[in-house]
Amino acid sequence: GPLSRVGEYLSDGFPRGIAASDTFVFVADQPAGLIVVDVSNPDSPTVRGTLSLGPDPITQVFVPNTVSGTPTPAKTGALVSRRGGLQIVDLADPDTPRITAAVGTSGRPRAVTVTPDRLHAITGSQLETFDITTPTNPRAVGRTDIGSDAQQVVATPSLVFVGTADEILILR
């Protein structure tokens, strides 16, 4: 059936990216930075925490997709900022999110997806994969040629899907 509005969160700035996990929504806001919003009561969402990178605007935020029926808040996510590039963010305490490490990609990420233990980023014609089980030390574990027209990536714990102009690549 049709969706109905049950609440809203009004930012002081301009939302540039959004991600959700369990009862939290993560907003990449310009100029405020990362805002963690608790939507456990969607009629009255509340800000739990923020992370500012000062004059470096956060433009995108990514968290693992939760599996239906097993709500587990994201403990680790990623964000992209203009100057800092791709970075790992510790979300274990929603009141105090913090950057734990930069991710050394070969170029500016066009698309990113995060699972609880992996981060996948499309850079140029490559899909770069990083092990993020130790969030303070993301480790490159693979690079796959996917062509220069790849624009989207999403992953489950066992498969990675890359959207190109003509097809969806399925990778293991």
Side-chain angles (χ1 to χ4, degrees):
L3 298 175
S4 62
R5 184 184 220 159
V6 294
E8 66 184 16
Y9 165 73
L10 297 175
S11 169
D12 288 337
F14 304 97
R16 298 294 184 217
I18 188 170
S21 176
D22 194 32
T23 60
F24 294 101
V25 173
F26 304 91
V27 182
D29 181 85
Q30 196 171 344
L34 179 67
I35 302 172
V36 181
V37 181
D38 184 338
V39 293
S40 56
N41 178 2
D43 294 335
S44 182
T46 57
V47 173
R48 286 284 300 271
T50 61
L51 171 65
S52 173
L53 300 182
D56 186 9
I58 297 170
T59 58
Q60 296 174 294
V61 60
F62 310 94
V63 296
N65 294 329
T66 55
V67 177
S68 179
T70 58
T72 305
K75 302 284 188 223
T76 303
L79 57 82
V80 175
S81 68
R82 287 219 179 104
R83 294 181 191 158
L86 185 58
Q87 300 168 71
I88 302 296
V89 61
D90 180 348
L91 302 169
D93 179 355
D95 297 326
T96 57
R98 63 185 181 86
I99 299 294
T100 60
V103 180
T105 58
S106 64
R108 190 118 183 113
R110 247 190 341 268
V112 175
T113 192
V114 180
T115 66
D117 62 348
R118 293 280 190 265
L119 179 145
H120 306 278
I122 296 175
T123 58
S125 63
Q126 302 286 313
L127 176 67
E128 298 183 50
T129 301
F130 297 85
D131 181 327
I132 60 170
T133 54
T134 305
T136 55
N137 187 26
R139 189 173 49 87
V141 293
R143 185 175 288 176
T144 306
D145 186 17
I146 54 172
S148 61
D149 64 343
Q151 296 295 321
Q152 299 293 322
V153 61
V154 67
T156 67
S158 60
L159 297 172
V160 179
F161 305 89
V162 176
T164 72
D166 301 324
E167 61 191 341
I168 303 295
L169 304 175
I170 303 171
L171 308 164
R172 185 180 320 255

